[in-house]
Amino acid sequence: MEIIEHMNEHWKKNTVLFLSSQIVSLFGSMLVQYAIMWYITLETKSGVMMTISIICGFAPTLLLSPFAGVWADRYNRKMLIVLADLFIATATLVIAILFLLGYDAIWLLFVVSAMRALGAGIQSPAVNAFLPGIVPPEKLMKITGINSSVMSAVTLVSPIVAGALLSFTTIKFIFFIDIFTAAIAVWILLVFLKVPAHAKALEKQPFNYFTDLKAGLMYISKHGYVKTIFLFCALYFVLVAPLAFLTPLQVTRSYGDAVWRLTAIEVAFSLGMMVGGLVIATWGGFKNKAYTMATSFLLMAISTVVLGLVPAFWVYLLFMLVVGLTMPMFNSPFTVLLQQKVEPDFLGRVFGVLGMISSSVMPLSMLFFGPMADSIKIEWMLLGTGALMLVLSLIMMGNKVLIEAGRPVVD
């Protein structure tokens, strides 16, 4: 009881420390992500090569997520985040050294993307399960919105910094920046964030991974709202794949291959996300979270259709900003809904299964959309997926299970 009271007294400090570590880590990771994406885009201009890169960045997460969810429920979540950061930093260091030695083949970027995805697969369920342990339930939506806005600000700055760095230096320098930021993030977590492990992690009883995984899947199957949310999520990931992954290639082909154009679309998207995060933190969304999610998806659908139609680049940027604006309005209520309604002992496994869905559906979708992008115009793909997203958003608004799950939590 004393530990819980102590945690309640210091939740703001703990939240600031934890989110600060994640922001610093994100900054370095985003620099590497943009550097790799732009390097492959500008060097190859190939939808197939982009697809290979995307699969390498997601497939390892798919393979690891079932175990990572179990680990997040059974082990100290803070230490899992630390170990994941260290693993990613080590993989980045290795690739940086290889590039310094002159080994700069494209396939090495595929390898490092896969290694970084392994670390992210461990980190993501732990982060999502960790936050509800330090933030009071009634503050989760506000904190999630603020965090989304701050993270978006970092994402806004990252492509600008990456573009500036790539204009006068090489990709290997950016690799070393990521190593440095990962070290700072780990230092904050280990030295300053003093949070006891959750109850399940303190238990010393032996366990079996597959037994725990099966228990997690049984929990999901017995709770219809989780199954319904995951189904909509899977369809969502399919339909947004071209929007998420092929728009840089679309810009390169339709508007020009200058780095500033790639930077501009990322800046517009990130600026929209930053504003969207502030809006959801201030407003809090509709009382029913499902309506907020469906409305944001509707706006995203309309914007996707417009991105397939506009001839002027400045209009393209405007609607890319709108797409960014809708993301926190979907992700924040979605994440908080799960954090508030899923039992704490199952949070890691539920988010682990969510990681499996996101890391499998999008790459599998790109196996279809990527090669298609070398045969037909990406604009046509955006028109088609945007129309289907519009239909899905309307179905979401009328789904009784989703609407019931989205109702406010009553203490």
Side-chain angles (χ1 to χ4, degrees):
M1 182 64 70
E2 290 181 1
I3 292 177
I4 295 175
E5 291 176 355
H6 177 78
M7 290 289 294
N8 289 336
E9 291 174 3
H10 295 85
W11 76 267
K12 291 183 180 179
K13 175 186 174 183
N14 291 334
T15 300
V16 169
L17 286 171
F18 177 66
L19 295 183
S20 296
S21 72
Q22 298 308 294
I23 289 166
V24 171
S25 178
L26 175 69
F27 177 67
S29 294
M30 293 300 293
L31 289 182
V32 171
Q33 179 178 324
Y34 285 118
I36 291 176
M37 180 176 66
W38 292 346
Y39 189 91
I40 294 172
T41 300
L42 296 173
E43 288 292 318
T44 68
K45 295 185 176 66
S46 167
V48 172
M49 296 299 279
M50 288 287 289
T51 300
I52 295 173
S53 175
I54 291 164
I55 291 173
C56 289
F58 278 90
T61 303
L62 166 64
L63 298 175
L64 199 60
S65 287
F67 298 100
V70 173
W71 296 336
D73 284 336
R74 283 289 185 171
Y75 295 132
N76 188 316
R77 289 163 180 165
K78 186 182 81 168
M79 292 309 300
L80 281 174
I81 296 167
V82 167
L83 291 173
D85 261 335
L86 290 175
F87 178 81
I88 293 171
T90 302
T92 306
L93 177 61
V94 171
I95 198 71
I97 293 173
L98 289 173
F99 266 60
L100 280 174
L101 295 175
Y103 299 98
D104 56 359
I106 292 289
W107 69 266
L108 285 173
L109 296 178
F110 297 156
V111 172
V112 76
S113 294
M115 298 298 288
R116 292 171 63 85
L118 283 173
I122 298 172
Q123 191 176 39
S124 183
V127 169
N128 283 316
F130 184 86
L131 200 56
I134 60 175
V135 178
E138 69 275 11
K139 301 292 184 181
L140 264 177
M141 181 65 83
K142 183 175 183 179
I143 293 300
T144 302
I146 293 173
N147 182 47
S148 175
S149 184
V150 175
M151 292 290 192
S152 300
V154 174
T155 309
L156 172 65
V157 172
S158 298
I160 299 174
V161 175
L165 290 172
L166 285 173
S167 67
F168 67 83
T169 187
T170 58
I171 191 173
K172 49 184 170 281
F173 178 74
I174 297 177
F175 288 148
F176 282 104
I177 294 177
D178 184 38
I179 296 164
F180 179 68
T181 55
I184 294 176
V186 169
W187 176 61
I188 293 173
L189 289 175
L190 290 179
V191 177
F192 297 103
L193 185 61
K194 305 299 182 182
V195 178
H198 59 289
K200 206 73 173 177
L202 298 174
E203 295 180 4
K204 300 301 181 182
Q205 64 183 37
F207 69 96
N208 181 281
Y209 289 116
F210 294 101
T211 300
D212 273 28
L213 176 59
K214 181 180 178 181
L217 295 175
M218 288 293 293
Y219 179 89
I220 293 171
S221 69
K222 290 179 180 178
H223 293 76
Y225 73 92
V226 181
K227 289 192 295 184
T228 301
I229 289 172
F230 281 3
L231 174 60
F232 278 112
C233 229
L235 294 172
Y236 166 83
F237 286 132
V238 170
L239 297 177
V240 301
L243 176 66
F245 296 125
L246 293 177
T247 45
L249 191 58
Q250 178 196 11
V251 167
T252 301
R253 291 176 178 177
S254 302
Y255 301 104
D257 60 1
V259 172
W260 75 265
R261 293 187 187 275
L262 298 177
T263 303
I265 62 171
E266 298 299 339
V267 168
F269 177 78
S270 301
L271 183 60
M273 281 195 67
M274 185 171 65
V275 174
L278 290 174
V279 169
I280 200 68
T282 305
W283 168 42
F286 297 115
K287 288 185 178 180
N288 191 307
K289 297 179 183 68
Y291 289 136
T292 309
M293 293 163 56
T295 301
S296 67
F297 199 39
L298 176 64
L299 293 173
M300 188 186 301
I302 295 171
S303 299
T304 302
V305 171
V306 174
L307 289 175
L309 294 172
V310 294
F313 186 61
W314 71 268
V315 180
Y316 189 96
L317 291 178
L318 177 62
F319 279 90
M320 186 60 75
L321 185 145
V322 176
V323 170
L325 181 71
T326 66
M327 294 297 286
M329 297 175 68
F330 182 90
N331 293 336
S332 295
F334 168 72
T335 302
V336 172
L337 191 156
L338 291 177
Q339 289 173 334
Q340 288 182 335
K341 295 211 168 189
V342 174
E343 294 177 26
D345 287 346
F346 289 92
L347 267 176
R349 277 164 285 184
V350 168
F351 278 109
V353 172
L354 177 61
M356 288 174 60
I357 295 171
S358 62
S359 59
S360 62
V361 173
M362 293 188 84
L364 288 174
S365 300
M366 283 304 297
L367 287 175
F368 173 72
F369 290 123
M372 182 186 292
D374 289 336
S375 302
I376 67 172
K377 295 178 67 174
I378 296 173
E379 284 80 356
W380 287 106
M381 298 166 65
L382 292 176
L383 288 172
T385 54
L388 292 173
M389 288 163 64
L390 182 61
V391 173
L392 183 62
S393 66
L394 297 176
I395 294 174
M396 288 175 66
M397 289 183 180
N399 186 275
K400 293 181 180 179
V401 175
L402 190 61
I403 299 302
E404 180 62 32
R407 296 186 190 280
V409 175
V410 179
D411 296 330

